[in-house]
Structure formats: structure tokens, C-alpha cells
Amino acid sequence: MASFDFRTVPHIHSGPGSAGRLASIAAPLIGARKRIFLVTDKGVRALGLLDTAVAGLEEAGLTVAIDDSVVADPPEDRVLATVNAAREFGAELVIGFGGGSSMDTAKLVALLLGTDQPLADMYGVNKVRGGRLPLILIPTTAGTGSEVTPISVVTVGETSKMGVNDPALYADLAVLDAALTYGLPRAVTAATGIDAMVHCIEAYTSKIEKNPVSDALALAGLKKLHGAIERACTDGQDTQAREDMLLGALLAGQAFANAPVGAVHALAYPLGGIFHVPHGLSNSLMLPPVLRYNADIADPLYAEMSAHIGLKNPGAVALVEEMERIADAVKIETRLSQVGVSHNDLPRLAEDAMKVQRLLVNNPREMTLDAAKACYEAVL
Ligand SMILES: [Zn+2]
């Protein structure tokens, strides 16, 4: 067998209501520290999702500063402003509480407070020098898996995405509290849930770093998500479905943190950058054409995945048709024209996608400019 590395966060705690018990769950990590800096967005704060967590921390004698300035696709200058706020507060521990953008920002805050290295020097893979502050991540959507990945993506300039990918970004603790996700709107549940399924599918076919541990996690994640997504979209209060979605997204995150995603994500990124299509939806849109393109090479792997979730006639066709059926059932957009893309935009999208070589190298079949154009065309 080829050699491989597998890394993940050292401590995962899962249980409904666990956010309110954070002080005791994280007690060994908190130690003698008193000043907690919590990074979130205004939506999460307005919904009251922070309340029990903050109350529990304050009852334990800790001082909590809340920064709710995170926006989707966080711009670099905003991230740096949050870093300054944390420094002025004298943060001793950082909590990321929310969706992928809040968790990604919290990772960089913890990192930049622990080292003199500038952010601009950290972009890329394994570029981080020095340590970071203790870091706890608490997701409020079941999708990105950012709570267990060593990746933080920020927007630099107008539309270009830069990533810091380094083991230093693995949090010390990830806390799953399904109660935080009961109120997620159907459209968000659907898009982020399909994104998590894409993480499983792309990790399982990842060309370079696919390994037996990530494979097991990808299959387990796909099964949980597949079994729960329609129930979670139909009834947001279905506690079992919500728990399965959150756990499935975490398993997917552990898989793709080690066996990175490929062309679905590479072709999805320009939709986010140029048209501001949310990450989950853009991946859901690009999944069918990329899977059909990959089928020549990856059909046996798609067959294994579709057999694992109980589909008839396992293979790429079965998997694509099942994912298309789910997208219809959970009522999200399935055509690029529904998110403002026109025929004239396709060349630019394809050219931008080809720039995402860091992901394209993981795709099981080589993605060319013409093939990328054809993928966009197929779902216009
Ligand atoms: Zn994704």
C-alpha cells in the first residue's frame, strides 16, 4: 500500500445542547485563561444562537468579547480588522461560532495572534510558521466541515479567493450541537447539505491523496447525509435528521481535509467569485456535469459509493441521477440561468476555473478548458 498521512482535530464533542456546556467541555483547554474572543456573524447573533454558550462561559467566570462582523466570502481586510479587535481585547482563546466564514475567520484570528508572520506570507500549503492561540469551532450549518479542516479561505481584491492550508489550522476542539441547526431555512439546509455530500464524493475520488481512512469517512458521511437531507429539509425540527446532517458534514470534512476536493469545487468557485452564488449552491449546480465528465475514469468508485447508499445499478449514472433527484426534492436551483448566468459568461467562468489548479490536480480525470466550458454549458 502507498504511504499516506491522515490528520484531524484531537477532540470532537457532539451532543444536543452542548454549546451551553462549553465551559466544562473545554475546561482542560481553557485552563487559567479568562479572556475569550468569539467570532460570528450578525445573523447567528440575531437568532440568539450564541446566548446559552455565552451565558455558560460568563457563569464560569470568563470574559467574552463578541465580534459579529463576519460576512460571507470574508474579505482579507475584514479578517485583519477582526484580528486587531482580538489583539486590543487581549484574547487568550478564540471561538469560531457559525458557518464556514465565521470558522475560517476564527482560525486566522487564532493564528495571527500567535505569530508575527503576516497573513500575506501564509497563503498556500504548509506556509505557516509559529503557533496560535487555543481554538474552538462550533458550526451552525451542516455543510462546510470547516470545524475539522485545516483550511481557511478569504477573498483578496475583488473576486479572487486565497487559502491558507496548514495543520496549524486544525482546531483544538470541535463542538457539534444539533440544536443550533433546528432553525436553518430549508434552502440553506439543502445547499449546504449537498455541498457536504460533494465533499464525500470528491474525497472518495481524489486522485493524489485518497487513502483508506478518508475513504471510510467519505462513505460513512455520504450515508448519513443521504439518509437525512430530505427529512431535514422537510422538517427542520427533526432532531435525528439534524444530528445526522451535522455528523455527516463533519465526517465529510475529515475526509476532504486529507483527500482534497476536485473539479466540482474548482468549477463552483467562479460562480461564487463573479455571481456571488453561495458555496453550497454553486457546488450543487456543478456536481452533475462534472460527475458525468469524470465517469469514464471514476465509474468504479462512483459504483462503490452508490452501492454503499443502496442505489440500484450502482455506477456514475445512478449516483448522478440520485443527486439530481435530491436537488429537485429539496427544491434548489439546478440551472445556471436561474442564478443570473448567461451564455456569454461561460468562457470567463471556464477560464477562471482553470486557474484553480490546486483543486483540479485532485480530479480523477484531467479537466481541460473545453471540458470546463462544456460542463457549464450542460447546466446553463
Ligand atoms: Zn464545499
Side-chain angles (χ1 to χ4, degrees):
M1 188 200 293
S3 60
F4 69 91
D5 291 298
F6 183 87
R7 295 187 178 89
T8 194
V9 303
H11 184 184
I12 293 163
H13 179 93
S14 175
S18 51
R21 301 190 299 276
L22 197 53
S24 66
I25 294 163
L29 186 63
I30 294 169
R33 295 179 180 87
K34 292 284 178 212
R35 299 181 76 75
I36 313 289
F37 191 79
L38 190 152
V39 180
T40 189
D41 65 54
K42 291 191 170 53
V44 165
R45 189 176 196 178
L47 287 169
L49 297 180
L50 304 175
D51 297 355
T52 57
V54 172
L57 292 167
E58 287 177 346
E59 272 166 32
L62 302 164
T63 304
V64 183
I66 300 171
D67 185 312
D68 65 2
S69 67
V70 174
V71 294
D73 305 312
E76 186 185 51
D77 54 356
R78 271 212 201 214
V79 172
L80 294 174
T82 303
V83 170
N84 281 339
R87 192 172 281 130
E88 276 171 26
F89 169 69
E92 297 174 295
L93 183 149
V94 179
I95 298 176
F97 198 118
S101 299
S102 292
M103 292 190 281
D104 280 13
T105 301
K107 288 173 181 175
L108 293 178
V109 171
L111 197 54
L112 288 163
L113 259 62
T115 173
D116 291 332
Q117 186 184 359
L119 177 56
D121 284 357
M122 293 179 176
Y123 294 124
V125 180
N126 297 333
K127 297 280 173 62
V128 174
R129 303 182 301 271
R132 60 155 171 76
L133 290 188
L135 174 64
I136 300 171
L137 297 176
I138 307 174
T140 59
T141 63
T144 67
S146 180
E147 68 276 12
V148 288
T149 73
I151 306 160
S152 180
V153 179
V154 297
T155 305
V156 179
E158 282 297 299
T159 60
S160 104
K161 299 271 185 140
M162 299 287 275
V164 180
N165 184 339
D166 191 284
L169 288 184
Y170 280 116
D172 298 291
L173 169 64
V175 175
L176 299 189
D177 180 352
L180 299 173
T181 68
Y182 293 165
L184 270 184
R186 179 196 51 77
V188 178
T189 304
T192 54
I194 291 180
D195 180 43
M197 297 176 83
V198 176
H199 295 157
C200 295
I201 294 168
E202 293 214 283
Y204 199 74
T205 57
S206 194
K207 192 174 172 184
I208 302 167
E209 292 175 272
K210 173 180 168 65
N211 67 77
V213 184
S214 63
D215 282 353
L217 292 161
L219 289 178
L222 188 63
K223 195 166 198 168
K224 281 227 176 282
L225 295 159
H226 178 253
I229 188 166
E230 289 171 77
R231 283 185 293 128
C233 288
T234 308
D235 174 11
Q237 304 289 320
D238 183 329
T239 54
Q240 188 61 54
R242 288 298 195 187
E243 276 182 36
D244 283 355
M245 291 302 293
L246 206 50
L247 201 51
L250 176 132
L251 295 166
Q254 289 181 302
F256 91 85
N258 292 278
V261 293
V264 180
H265 274 74
L267 269 63
Y269 268 125
L271 294 173
I274 303 169
F275 294 95
H276 303 290
V277 181
H279 176 86
L281 178 57
S282 57
N283 278 287
S284 179
L285 287 162
M286 296 319 298
L287 179 70
V290 173
L291 253 58
R292 287 197 171 92
Y293 175 73
N294 288 346
D296 271 3
I297 304 285
D299 194 63
L301 296 175
Y302 296 143
E304 288 170 17
M305 278 184 273
S306 40
H308 189 73
I309 55 173
L311 302 182
K312 291 196 183 104
N313 305 317
V317 173
L319 189 60
V320 174
E321 287 181 352
E322 178 66 356
M323 293 303 296
E324 287 175 330
R325 186 194 66 74
I326 290 171
D328 276 342
V330 299
K331 301 186 185 74
I332 60 172
E333 291 89 339
T334 54
R335 314 299 305 183
L336 296 181
S337 51
Q338 293 172 297
V339 294
V341 178
S342 70
H343 197 267
N344 294 342
D345 301 313
L346 302 188
R348 183 180 171 197
L349 286 169
E351 276 159 29
D352 277 15
M354 294 313 288
K355 292 177 192 155
V356 196
Q357 285 299 324
R358 70 186 171 87
L359 299 184
L360 289 176
V361 296
N362 304 310
N363 201 56
R365 183 176 177 191
E366 189 184 352
M367 181 59 71
T368 62
L369 181 64
D370 284 346
K373 256 185 235 163
C375 284
Y376 288 119
E377 183 96 53
V379 286
L380 184 62

